[in-house]
Amino acid sequence: MINEPAAETWDDELEDLFLRVGHCFGRVEPRRRMRDYVRGLLGPVGRKNGWQLAEYAGHATPDGLQHLLAGARWDADEIRDELQHYVAEHLGEDDGVLIIDDTGFVKKGTTSAGVQRQYSGTAGRTENCQIGVFAAYASTRGRALVDRELYLPKSWTEDRDRCRAAKIPDERDFHTKGDLAKALVLRALASDLPFAWVTADSAYGQEGRFRRLLEQSGLGYVLAVPKSQFSVGCPRIDWLFAQAPADAWERISCGDGAKGPRVYDWAAIRLPAVAEYDYQDENQVRRRWALARRSITRPDEIAYYLAYAQLDTTVEQLVRIAGMRWAIEECFQAAKNECGLDQYEVRRYTGWMRHITLAMLAHAFLAAMAAAAASKGAAETVTAPWSTSPWQRSDGSWRLAAPTRVRHGARPALTP
């Protein structure tokens, strides 16, 4: 929330942001209402719904702001594109990280676009909710949400009358969350955002098609995966790390959290290369890794990752990227608490996209101002496919004792 001194200091910057996105509105009325709406999202408003935002803006009723979301002619995707350019200018670094995750918006009734009883990681249980798939951008300068898609379950996309009533475009078919994640990555690649890495939780990391897209795009990644995940030369990732010798584990911080450095025991092992993706003209240019993160106080709590990176990437760098995934959780929390990301009262698809985009714009402004201030000084048993231990020392790191170069799709044969 912006206090009065901060509002005075940042007012010129906010006006510059409004000028940047002003061309997205063909008429002056929606442009002015957009300014009032974003100022309200940034302001000291208790609950950022239509009435309270209207009162903060000095409007007699919320009709004008509701029309901005529901009826005015403007394209939220154009605002999204300008937002990405803005974030690239203020937070961009060549080794930036794109983070993919989803968040839930608990709702009542059955008419809000995409709503149904489904698991929400936000609530930690199955709820009647909408699910949004988001991309966040993170660098050492800051982090901000940069893209969004509303997940539409088959219960919606197979009922076209219901979709039309919620103003869902006729061309909007069913897409898995993984499909939406791929669309977010492709749009980020086409934008001005400079990034070299992608990270996500296991819901996305376990999808081979998602990983292939990143590899084909030349992006590095550190993706969480379930313990049953297989990969090249790796029948089950939890079994692989169950074989790790004691000195394979190293205590490393994956970044600072609310209570200081987040320190875990980490183990990393190099996996065989895939000829189609990891070589250029017979020269290997990328390396595959499997990583495990073990709690210091609860050693039985182990998280697993697959990674893909340039040859000179260190384990410490991979651990840092793994730790960056939590930045999107911080974005969700800040955007909800400070910018009303989840405090909308719209039911239709267009209104959802517009509110979410304007809330992201408000959050990106806060992230940019914070960056500017900082810059001024402020285990299941599986028979081994190898005759000996799969862990071997090589050039100071551990690697998998399997063929060092395989064809895409090859999997180790398990001895019955």
Side-chain angles (χ1 to χ4, degrees):
M1 184 180 299
I2 300 179
N3 56 32
E4 290 301 325
E8 293 176 3
T9 302
W10 294 353
D11 192 63
D12 289 343
E13 293 289 344
L14 186 56
E15 285 300 320
D16 287 344
L17 179 58
F18 289 149
L19 288 173
R20 178 191 289 268
V21 302
H23 71 90
C24 301
F25 301 87
R27 299 181 60 187
V28 67
E29 293 88 350
R31 188 181 309 124
R32 288 174 177 169
R33 289 167 182 162
M34 177 273 297
R35 293 158 62 103
D36 289 344
Y37 197 86
V38 173
R39 283 188 177 277
L41 293 176
L42 290 167
V45 180
R47 180 163 181 81
K48 295 169 182 181
N49 55 33
W51 272 106
Q52 293 195 33
L53 290 176
E55 289 176 358
Y56 182 79
H59 297 190
T61 71
D63 295 351
L65 298 184
Q66 289 173 350
H67 181 69
L68 172 72
L69 299 182
R73 297 187 62 179
W74 59 282
D75 188 348
D77 286 348
E78 291 185 3
I79 300 288
R80 186 266 327 275
D81 293 344
E82 289 292 347
L83 162 65
Q84 293 181 345
H85 185 64
Y86 179 77
V87 170
E89 284 185 2
H90 289 271
L91 306 180
E93 292 179 339
D94 289 341
D95 62 346
V97 182
L98 193 74
I99 312 163
I100 305 295
D101 202 359
D102 52 75
T103 189
F105 302 89
V106 176
K107 292 294 171 183
K108 296 180 180 179
T110 60
T111 58
S112 296
V115 72
Q116 73 167 21
R117 285 192 60 79
Q118 53 193 326
Y119 179 78
S120 167
T122 307
R125 60 184 180 272
T126 299
E127 286 278 4
N128 196 62
C129 65
Q130 297 168 295
I131 299 292
V133 180
F134 287 80
Y137 180 83
S139 71
T140 60
R141 299 168 66 185
R143 64 282 309 270
L145 298 172
V146 293
D147 207 348
R148 71 289 175 263
E149 284 289 356
L150 179 62
Y151 171 68
L152 297 177
K154 287 184 178 179
S155 63
W156 276 84
T157 57
E158 293 177 353
D159 187 342
R160 300 317 301 182
D161 290 338
R162 191 184 187 194
C163 286
R164 293 188 187 98
K167 300 298 182 182
I168 296 171
D170 288 340
E171 63 272 15
R172 185 71 158 76
D173 295 325
F174 174 74
H175 298 288
T176 67
K177 294 171 188 174
D179 292 335
L180 298 179
K182 289 192 291 184
L184 298 181
V185 170
L186 290 173
R187 286 205 293 260
L189 285 168
S191 75
D192 296 319
L193 291 168
F195 65 102
W197 296 93
V198 174
T199 187
D201 69 13
S202 59
Y204 302 95
Q206 67 183 334
E207 290 206 18
R209 292 181 301 171
F210 183 61
R211 300 196 304 272
R212 293 293 87 74
L213 170 67
L214 304 181
E215 293 165 12
Q216 291 168 350
S217 302
L219 294 169
Y221 62 70
V222 182
L223 302 171
V225 294
K227 64 182 181 180
S228 59
Q229 183 70 41
F230 69 86
S231 184
V232 179
C234 170
R236 272 185 67 111
I237 198 168
D238 62 342
W239 176 87
L240 179 63
F241 283 95
Q243 311 296 309
D247 64 346
W249 296 90
E250 183 179 1
R251 196 152 291 181
I252 306 173
S253 170
C254 59
D256 290 338
K259 299 180 180 180
R262 292 173 292 163
V263 180
Y264 297 88
D265 288 332
W266 291 82
I269 187 170
R270 292 189 294 173
L271 300 176
V274 175
E276 288 87 337
Y277 300 112
D278 305 348
Y279 282 78
Q280 290 182 359
D281 300 326
E282 299 301 317
N283 296 315
Q284 185 177 357
V285 295
R286 296 272 181 171
R287 176 168 291 146
R288 296 169 185 272
W289 297 82
L291 289 86
R293 186 197 71 199
R294 187 176 67 190
S295 171
I296 296 173
T297 58
R298 299 182 179 88
D300 58 330
E301 293 184 3
I302 304 177
Y304 302 98
Y305 302 83
L306 291 178
Y308 184 68
Q310 297 283 352
L311 290 181
D312 59 353
T313 303
T314 65
V315 173
E316 287 77 12
Q317 288 174 305
L318 297 177
V319 168
R320 180 183 69 85
I321 300 302
M324 293 288 281
R325 190 184 73 79
W326 295 104
I328 196 169
E329 300 292 347
E330 296 169 352
C331 287
F332 287 147
Q333 183 177 4
K336 290 178 179 181
N337 292 344
E338 307 294 340
C339 305
L341 184 75
D342 60 343
Q343 296 176 23
Y344 55 88
E345 295 178 327
V346 297
R347 296 186 182 277
R348 293 177 174 177
Y349 178 87
T350 301
W352 188 90
M353 295 292 286
R354 289 178 171 185
H355 167 82
I356 294 296
T357 303
L358 293 179
M360 287 167 47
L361 186 70
H363 176 253
F365 172 75
L366 293 181
M369 294 304 97
S375 69
K376 293 177 181 178
E380 177 177 316
T381 303
V382 179
T383 306
W386 309 283
S387 58
T388 59
S389 170
W391 293 76
Q392 290 185 352
R393 279 284 188 185
S394 176
D395 301 327
S397 65
W398 293 94
R399 70 177 179 84
L400 195 61
T404 59
R405 182 177 181 182
V406 299
R407 304 295 294 177
H408 172 55
R411 294 179 59 182
L414 299 183
T415 304

